[in-house]
Amino acid sequence: MAGRTIGAVGEHGFLSRLLPRLPVSPDTVVGPGQDCAVVRCGRQRVLFTVDALVEGTHFATHWLSPYQLGRKSFLVNASDIAAMGGRPRFCVVGLQVRPAYRARDLSALQAGIVAAATACGAVVVGGNLARAAQLSIAIALLGEAPRRLVTRAGAQAGDHVYVSGTLGDAARAVRWLRGAQRGHRPAQALRRFAEPTPRLQAGRLLAESGIVSSMIDVSDGLLRDLGHICEQSGVGAVIRTAAVPRSDAYRRALGSSDLLALHGGEDYELLCTVPERNLPRLEQQRARLGCPITCVGRITAGRRLRVLGPDGREMPIAATGYDHFRTR
Ligand SMILES: [Mg+2]
């Protein structure tokens, strides 16, 4: 791939060449390819993750106030800690800022990061500020690992597939913000987009209790993120679209349209698999999760991801707008 651009090689293509060549440490408990790495630091097992919000890629500056932007950039990282059942503890912040960006706005952004970190039980312990052509906020977050680790690998045929909260609202907001959807300002969807709620309590409980066999957060859309679980667990899945939880506002705006609930990203809900034998324990714990959780399908043998429409018939995945299960 010597002369090719990263755009041509693609994220998946690039990572699949890079990752096998990375040196490994005996203290790497879980390496790349998960929501967080798990490493041994002294006697402690620690979760470690990094994510960035980049102007022009993830947001336009008029979409979010600086304070909201700061909050969101922390919360998306906390969601990766939730997906591994951890507790966010310490973070460092890498800010890249246009010289014309107002100092007052940067202070508000920083205040947003600190507020979100505090709300999640974490503290900001350092960072770096650099000049750049576009605003970008990268946060590296350390978290306490649960006693029982849960990753994207571990789903088995017969497991039930569950998702927390509701899906599709953040994508609805992005569509409206990009001007692709007319009509009323979708206030509830915009709130979901601006203020994701990492499911820390549910993630922790589901991991510690050993109820789930695999878990991921829904950042790229239900089918794509379920694709990650299937790929890493060596299984397939069947999803019933009618079961995919949507908010009342979603139903009012889009009726029975599945597209954004199945494919929309940035909901930061949890997606997990539960072996049949653990269903009674899940029901016992349900009230303590801090959010609703809904069964949307089953894990199957064979590596196919199938989607059943409201009539119970299989829908061609391409017809739902999704055509590359295996990428990323
Ligand atoms: Mg994630």
Side-chain angles (χ1 to χ4, degrees), residues 3-19:
R4 297 170 68 196
T5 63
I6 184 67
V9 173
E11 181 186 358
H12 186 72
F14 181 74
L15 291 178
S16 63
R17 305 237 341 197
L18 171 75
L19 298 185

Side-chain angles (χ1 to χ4, degrees), residues 155-180:
Q156 295 200 324
D159 289 358
H160 296 251
V161 179
Y162 279 83
V163 66
S164 69
T166 60
L167 297 179
D169 282 321
R172 209 155 60 80
V174 171
R175 233 166 55 155
W176 189 84
L177 288 163
R178 289 191 193 281

Side-chain angles (χ1 to χ4, degrees), residues 35 80 152 217 219:
D35 289 284
D80 279 328
R152 300 170 176 186
D217 67 326
S219 56

Side-chain angles (χ1 to χ4, degrees), residues 34-36 49 51 76 79-80 83 152 216-219 225 268:
Q34 302 295 330
D35 289 284
C36 305
T49 184
D51 210 349
V76 300
S79 180
D80 279 328
R152 300 170 176 186
I216 188 171
D217 67 326
V218 184
S219 56
D225 287 313
Y268 299 103

